[in-house]
Amino acid sequence: MTDKIVLDYCKKMEELGIKNKVLEHPPLVEAAQVVNHLGYTLDDSVATLIMKADDDFIAVLRRDVTKISFKKIKKLLGIESLRIATPEEFSKVTGLEIGTARFYVPNLKTYIDKEVFGKKYILGGTGSLNYTFQCLSEDLKKLPGVEVVDVTVPIEQEKSHSTSVKRVFSGIRATGRLHLGNYLGAVKGFLELEKSGEYETVYCVVDVHSITTPYDKNALAKNKREIIIDYLAAGLDPKKSIIIYQSEVPEHIELAFYFSSVVTIARMQHLPTYKDKVKQHPDANTMALLNYPVLMASDILIYKAGLVPVGIDQEPHLEVAREIARKMNQLYGTDFPEPVRFATKGEYIPSLTGEGKMSKTVVNSFINLTDSLEKIRKKIRSVPTATAAGGEMSPGLKTLFIFAQLFIPSEVEGFKKSYQDKSLQFVELKDRIAEAIYKELKPFQERRAKISADQKYVDEVIRDGAERAHRIARETVKEVKHKMGLL
Ligand code: TYM
């Protein structure tokens, strides 16, 4: 049964002349998860941002594939200050739970970015994490007092501001071996940016982040080195990229502490990633865990990196990094860029269980980069599929088609057709995907074996990376201390 709050909203929208449909799903906060679950993409979804513009609140509707340009809004409205509302302000203004913002926010001046009309049908919030609203984009012009404006930039065109060297930073925790999600969502982006030759790239094993949840110290020491080897085996070139352990550049931790002075506890407590971890480890709700996003902001901003290749699950953390950069720049006159995400085609790899994302911490959800063909085949065969072909695809089957799109794109249409005419043998699709995944991983596995046999080389990479990273990090910390009155 649809929630009353959702029914009332839909009725109100009908009264305004906005015909709509409501799509049901499990409780999901992130737009990427919602669209993925419903079989759409971020191209179809529109977010309502509640913003504080000088002393007033406004609502801005933007497509999820675009990013708000603060500059454009400020210019348009002739205002001095502009920021995203805090979670408390959001709840007060909308009366809704975070992540459920709707297109219609009564009593608020609403600006719709012109890109919203780039799609005929669009998806948005309903006030409930279980339902998503769908309507014709054109119909949004019927909302009371709305204005169509040009206030976004496409995500990939966003330029980091005032840094003279264009830098890229990313990191992976040392909580286990790399899986396919890490590879497709992050490492492929690392490689692409390194290869472009346009950036100074810094890639890190964020070992200090690994201690923010309960861990085994012997496993950590081993895992962190294995990830460096994974980076090299994936094809990162230590002559081009700086490859480091986070703990070997302690300035990351020092800067994180300075940053923590501009972040409220409430802001950190509201992050969905924090809430998830507390649920997973209720007895380990530590200061380190609460500080996780602040340390991540420090990792990125210490190199003044404007571009961060990470999966879509990291977007809330990047938002925090941007807020910290803005706050530091406002308060202390620093010149931190507002880092944006560099997305790969595999920005959200679903779990093999058919529920949620592929994750190191969820058993049976992932494929390791070192898995053999037999193992991969067994894992892919275990993805739950519908018993009969045709009709609505089950979540597991949608997952298989995501893999198919990534690994055998030219065969997707054929498989979809045979699904529709009910001739599809699931095992045939599964085995084809397994083979294609293995084909991509095989060269990685061969390189990995060679690199593992040369531990001296690995030591050299780590030593050289630390030195180069130090030089940059030291400068930033010195500048921040000076600007904050500590030097
Ligand atoms: P971590 O260790 O959880 O994940 C590492 C990277 O893998 C991506 N990823 C995925 N991408 C697509 N689909 C999936 N199922 C999937 N699972 C994981 C993540 O998005 C990430 O890019 N907070 C970070 C580590 C970090 C960091 C940083 C990243 C610390 N400081 C500074 C960038 C910049 C994390 O937990 O990643």
Side-chain angles (χ1 to χ4, degrees):
M1 203 192 79
T2 316
D3 294 1
K4 180 166 180 331
I5 158 173
V6 177
L7 287 173
D8 289 349
Y9 174 61
C10 293
K11 205 168 131 216
K12 176 75 203 166
M13 293 296 263
E14 292 277 347
E15 281 165 22
L16 293 168
I18 303 172
K19 287 213 166 51
N20 56 75
K21 204 165 125 185
V22 165
L23 311 168
E24 191 175 354
H25 45 75
L28 294 170
V29 179
E30 283 183 39
Q33 292 178 328
V34 174
V35 294
N36 185 49
H37 183 90
L38 295 173
Y40 291 86
T41 68
L42 279 180
D43 205 35
D44 304 294
S45 77
V46 169
T48 302
L49 304 182
I50 306 297
M51 305 188 82
K52 184 101 192 262
D54 281 351
D55 292 329
D56 298 319
F57 286 104
I58 57 168
V60 182
L61 270 54
R62 63 137 173 82
R63 284 261 293 285
D64 276 319
V65 285
T66 61
K67 201 178 126 39
I68 287 292
S69 162
F70 281 72
K71 230 199 233 160
K72 282 186 178 177
I73 301 182
K74 278 188 186 169
K75 198 165 157 212
L76 178 82
L77 304 184
I79 51 170
E80 298 270 299
S81 79
L82 180 71
R83 61 171 171 81
I84 304 279
T86 63
E88 292 79 13
E89 289 168 342
F90 174 90
S91 306
K92 209 164 153 199
V93 170
T94 63
L96 301 172
E97 209 178 333
I98 301 289
T100 68
R102 301 156 159 178
F103 295 146
Y104 177 40
V105 191
N107 309 321
L108 226 57
K109 175 82 189 162
T110 299
Y111 298 91
I112 307 182
D113 182 66
K114 64 180 190 352
E115 291 303 320
V116 167
F117 305 102
K119 272 265 160 173
K120 191 166 179 200
Y121 286 94
I122 44 154
L123 302 170
T126 56
S128 159
L129 292 175
N130 288 86
Y131 298 94
T132 289
F133 187 86
Q134 187 177 42
C135 67
L136 274 171
S137 56
E138 274 301 309
D139 275 356
L140 291 182
K141 291 179 182 162
K142 298 176 186 165
L143 287 171
V146 294
E147 204 174 306
V148 177
V149 288
D150 170 8
V151 290
T152 59
V153 285
I155 280 178
E156 55 287 1
Q157 277 176 21
E158 175 84 359
K159 292 256 185 308
S160 74
H161 78 68
S162 66
T163 43
S164 50
V165 201
K166 288 201 284 181
R167 283 207 192 98
V168 166
F169 180 92
S170 194
I172 296 185
R173 284 172 302 150
T175 42
R177 299 293 290 277
L178 291 198
H179 60 65
L180 202 60
N182 301 134
Y183 177 66
L184 298 170
V187 179
K188 274 207 146 182
F190 296 10
L191 287 164
E192 196 179 327
L193 293 169
E194 181 193 89
K195 284 208 178 83
S196 78
E198 283 181 47
Y199 305 93
E200 189 173 1
T201 42
V202 186
Y203 299 128
C204 185
V205 176
V206 284
D207 49 355
V208 180
H209 273 111
S210 314
I211 69 164
T212 59
T213 42
Y215 73 102
D216 172 339
K217 67 178 185 184
N218 297 321
L220 175 60
K222 188 165 178 307
N223 285 339
K224 56 188 251 183
R225 193 172 178 95
E226 296 294 344
I227 293 187
I228 298 268
I229 299 174
D230 281 337
Y231 280 176
L232 297 170
L236 286 183
D237 178 354
K239 289 200 193 74
K240 292 186 184 150
S241 294
I242 300 179
I243 298 177
I244 50 165
Y245 286 141
Q246 186 185 30
S247 61
E248 291 216 352
V249 191
E251 286 89 348
H252 286 223
I253 297 158
E254 183 178 355
L255 185 64
F257 194 86
Y258 302 149
F259 281 176
S260 72
S261 69
V262 300
V263 185
T264 65
I265 295 170
R267 175 71 178 99
M268 295 297 96
Q269 282 172 329
H270 270 98
L271 280 173
T273 40
Y274 169 74
K275 289 183 185 165
D276 285 350
K277 286 279 179 256
V278 173
K279 239 188 238 161
Q280 264 176 39
H281 308 285
D283 297 332
N285 185 2
T286 62
M287 285 302 296
L289 183 63
L290 191 65
N291 263 313
Y292 184 112
V294 182
L295 179 57
M296 178 159 161
S298 167
D299 294 336
I300 300 165
L301 297 176
I302 206 161
Y303 302 101
K304 302 196 176 173
L307 203 53
V308 185
V310 279
I312 197 149
D313 60 324
Q314 297 300 311
E315 195 54 68
H317 289 153
L318 282 185
E319 189 57 49
V320 172
R322 288 190 282 271
E323 283 170 24
I324 290 177
R326 270 199 296 280
K327 201 77 189 268
M328 290 297 295
N329 294 349
Q330 262 168 20
L331 287 174
Y332 301 113
T334 46
D335 67 344
F336 289 117
E338 290 182 29
V340 291
R341 193 167 68 87
F342 177 77
T344 62
K345 280 196 195 123
E347 64 178 7
Y348 181 87
I349 302 300
S351 158
L352 300 181
T353 60
E355 231 175 82
K357 67 162 186 162
M358 184 175 285
S359 162
K360 280 177 252 200
T361 48
V362 180
V363 272
N364 299 330
S365 80
F366 57 86
I367 289 174
N368 273 326
L369 298 190
T370 46
D371 282 349
S372 63
L373 175 59
E374 290 82 289
K375 248 196 188 159
I376 297 174
R377 200 184 283 133
K378 197 165 158 226
K379 287 182 179 178
I380 293 284
R381 280 192 181 183
S382 76
V383 175
T385 35
T387 43
E392 171 76 4
M393 282 193 196
S394 64
L397 195 56
K398 280 185 193 157
T399 300
L400 288 178
F401 272 103
I402 290 174
F403 285 126
Q405 190 61 47
L406 288 165
F407 289 96
I408 43 168
S410 62
E411 297 168 41
V412 169
E413 271 318 298
F415 277 116
K416 276 207 173 141
K417 256 200 201 117
S418 55
Y419 173 70
Q420 268 140 19
D421 67 25
K422 305 192 176 176
S423 65
L424 176 66
Q425 297 292 321
F426 292 132
V427 71
E428 200 182 299
L429 169 65
K430 286 176 168 177
D431 285 357
R432 188 62 202 97
I433 292 171
E435 272 163 33
I437 293 176
Y438 181 67
K439 195 170 159 218
E440 172 132 2
L441 298 186
K442 197 166 166 246
F444 164 86
Q445 296 180 0
E446 286 165 358
R447 274 196 302 267
R448 196 175 201 294
K450 278 197 197 126
I451 295 162
S452 300
D454 189 357
Q455 293 292 330
K456 252 198 186 148
Y457 170 66
V458 178
D459 286 336
E460 253 168 55
V461 168
I462 296 167
R463 203 174 325 116
D464 176 60
E467 248 177 59
R468 288 156 73 194
H470 244 120
R471 263 178 254 142
I472 309 169
R474 221 181 290 135
E475 278 309 300
T476 308
V477 166
K478 205 165 127 194
E479 179 195 338
V480 168
K481 283 180 79 174
H482 181 70
K483 293 199 162 145
M484 289 183 82
L486 292 161
L487 254 191

